[in-house]
């Protein structure tokens, strides 16, 4: 089955309230490379520290590889019936790209050579001095923001998703040949949800339980 329908939300609020973590997908729904490209063309606008764009996406539609990821995800059935399994990775060495990421600004004269060199030096110093734990935290923090954006864009384009942590990260990296430079941040299954299995939305804390105001 080719999925051609797209959702259209009247407002961002409606989009937010409609997104759910899919419990079960309709099997045999294909997502095209073009549809995935359209999603990623918007994902790129997610914010990232120093615009380092730590997130990297491994997108699996190949049935044999999906089967292996299903095993690595402790046989969570939605991995098999999803249209794509996406492994969100965080690049722990992203700070090395601070120069190339800013070259365009330098060439356009938006920043001068002094500011360019200062930025490159300071970002390198920050990541090097704070060390490996910080590099890993940064990779996870920035890729997580990107992943949320991915799920909202997918929803806007008519696709359902489920973020997942129930998988063996080492096995997933081994299956996909992911280098040690990347930390697996989460798995996202994507497809068309079979809403017959959808439960009511889980309890949400009221603002008073998760927001603390300092000031009027
Ligand atoms: C980091 C993370 C990991 C999750 N892991 C799984 C998972 O392995 N399997 C699963 O079925 N759902 C998983 N979920 C989905 C949550 O259960 C779901 O987001 C939560 O119950 C709230 O439901 P809602 O997203 O429909 O509002 C995960 C969600 C997050 C954010």
């Amino acid at each position: 089955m080719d999925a051609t329908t797209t959702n259209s939300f009247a407002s961002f609020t409606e989009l937010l309230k409609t997104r759910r973590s899919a419990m079960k997908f309709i099997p045999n729904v294909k997502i095209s490379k073009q549809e995935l490209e359209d999603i990623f063309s918007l994902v790129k606008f997610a914010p990232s520290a120093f615009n380092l764009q730590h997130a990297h996406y491994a997108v699996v539609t190949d049935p044999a590889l999906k089967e292996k990821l299903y095993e690595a995800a402790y046989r969570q059935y939605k991995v098999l019936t999803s249209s794509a399994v996406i492994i969100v990775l965080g690049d722990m060495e992203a700070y090395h790209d601070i120069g190339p990421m800013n070259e365009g600004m330098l060439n356009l004269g938006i920043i001068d050579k002094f500011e360019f060199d200062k930025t490159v030096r300071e970002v390198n110093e920050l990541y090097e001095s704070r060390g490996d734990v910080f590099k890993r935290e940064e990779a996870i923090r920035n890729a997580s923001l990107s992943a949320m954006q991915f799920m909202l864009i997918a929803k806007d384009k008519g696709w359902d998703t489920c973020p997942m942590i129930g998988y063996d990260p080492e096995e997933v990296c081994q299956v996909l040949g992911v280098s040690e430079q990347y930390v697996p941040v989460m798995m996202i299954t994507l497809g068309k949800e079979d809403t017959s299995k959808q439960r009511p939305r889980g309890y949400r804390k009221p603002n008073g339980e998760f927001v603390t105001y300092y000031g009027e």
Side-chain angles (χ1 to χ4, degrees):
M1 176 174 146
D2 269 325
T4 49
T5 51
T6 54
N7 285 358
S8 168
F9 294 95
S11 69
F12 186 59
T13 302
E14 191 194 339
L15 170 66
L16 291 179
K17 287 188 169 175
T18 311
R19 185 217 57 81
R20 296 295 311 278
S21 292
M23 298 297 287
K24 190 182 176 196
F25 291 112
I26 300 168
N28 303 317
V29 177
K30 289 195 190 320
I31 184 164
S32 68
K33 178 89 182 292
Q34 187 56 54
E35 285 172 287
L36 288 161
E37 284 285 291
D38 289 346
I39 294 172
F40 288 118
S41 297
L42 293 172
V43 168
K44 70 171 65 143
F45 294 115
S48 60
F50 307 104
N51 194 29
L52 286 169
Q53 300 165 56
H54 313 62
H56 189 91
Y57 289 80
V59 182
V60 179
T61 51
D62 176 77
L65 274 179
K66 267 170 70 183
E67 184 88 34
K68 288 184 179 167
L69 293 178
Y70 164 68
E71 294 296 334
Y74 315 118
R75 302 195 168 189
Q76 292 196 62
Y77 191 62
K78 64 182 96 174
V79 173
L80 277 189
T81 51
S82 66
S83 308
V85 185
I86 288 125
I87 308 299
V88 186
L89 303 165
D91 185 357
M92 290 179 281
E93 303 293 332
Y95 69 99
H96 292 306
D97 294 335
I98 188 65
M101 288 296 172
N102 283 281
E103 259 163 23
M105 294 273 204
L106 176 66
N107 293 337
L108 289 169
I110 296 164
I111 56 171
D112 61 22
K113 184 78 168 77
F114 177 80
E115 195 181 337
F116 174 84
D117 288 343
K118 185 170 176 286
T119 302
V120 170
R121 191 176 60 250
E122 286 179 353
V123 168
N124 271 287
E125 276 171 12
L126 177 74
Y127 279 82
E128 296 285 347
S129 66
R130 293 211 186 168
D132 289 347
V133 171
F134 179 72
K135 290 178 197 172
R136 189 180 158 86
E137 285 174 352
E138 273 285 277
I140 296 171
R141 179 165 34 240
N142 286 282
S144 296
L145 285 172
S146 177
M148 186 72 240
Q149 184 137 323
F150 173 90
M151 291 189 286
L152 292 177
I153 295 165
K155 185 69 188 169
D156 193 47
K157 293 187 177 295
W159 293 95
D160 300 298
T161 56
C162 185
M164 294 166 61
I165 199 62
Y167 63 90
D168 180 334
E170 280 178 19
E171 200 175 329
V172 164
C173 288
Q174 193 239 319
V175 166
L176 299 179
V178 174
S179 87
E180 290 194 348
Q181 174 178 344
Y182 296 97
V183 54
V185 173
M186 76 185 77
M187 177 183 279
I188 299 177
T189 42
L190 175 147
K192 299 280 179 182
E193 186 176 13
D194 173 354
T195 49
S196 67
K197 295 288 175 207
Q198 199 180 70
R199 294 186 195 150
R201 177 82 87 172
Y203 168 78
R204 290 307 206 252
K205 293 178 188 174
N207 293 5
E209 285 184 22
F210 74 96
V211 185
T212 305
Y213 292 99
Y214 297 84
E216 292 306 308

